[in-house]
Amino acid sequence: MIFEVSLPLYLLIALILFSIGLYGALTKRNAIVVLLSIELMLNAVNINLVAFAKYGLYASITGQIFTLFTMTVAAAEVAVGIAILISLYRNRDTVNVDEMDTMKR
């Protein structure tokens, strides 16, 4: 049994993922949680790209290609972000974003 997923369902899932990611990025103080929340928001955008590529006015593969590009950039961003966090943790023994204000001083 195969059922068709409609565009509003894709958009609803993307909205929920983006909202969770936005909440996490704005309210949490742990840098790892903030990084993961940003990844959730990027995945919500990817869902929208694929959904509009499939159900859009001119259905094409462009959305999937942009999604692959976004996933590649997100993977690079996570690698750099984790490297920065590991370096900060080694120097300061914390991942709290409130204590990462070296540039302000």
Side-chain angles (χ1 to χ4, degrees):
M1 179 174 152
I2 298 174
F3 68 96
E4 184 76 20
V5 179
S6 62
L7 180 62
L9 187 58
Y10 279 113
L11 297 179
L12 179 66
I13 291 171
L15 175 68
I16 291 169
L17 271 180
F18 193 86
S19 299
I20 292 171
L22 186 63
Y23 174 77
L26 294 178
T27 60
K28 301 300 177 188
R29 297 292 170 235
N30 188 328
I32 295 172
V33 173
V34 171
L35 195 62
L36 290 175
S37 298
I38 292 170
E39 291 301 315
L40 274 180
M41 290 191 287
L42 282 173
N43 284 327
V45 170
N46 288 338
I47 289 173
N48 277 340
L49 285 172
V50 170
F52 282 119
K54 183 176 180 183
Y55 295 106
L57 197 56
Y58 302 106
S60 67
I61 197 165
T62 307
Q64 285 91 347
I65 292 171
F66 274 117
T67 299
L68 285 175
F69 179 72
T70 305
M71 289 170 64
T72 306
V73 171
E77 173 231 335
V78 166
V80 171
I82 292 292
I84 291 171
L85 285 178
I86 289 172
S87 176
L88 283 171
Y89 182 76
R90 285 181 180 167
N91 290 330
R92 297 187 167 237
D93 291 331
T94 184
V95 289
N96 190 344
V97 293
D98 290 335
E99 298 175 15
M100 296 179 190
D101 58 353
T102 306
M103 299 290 281
K104 289 183 179 177
R105 295 180 192 168

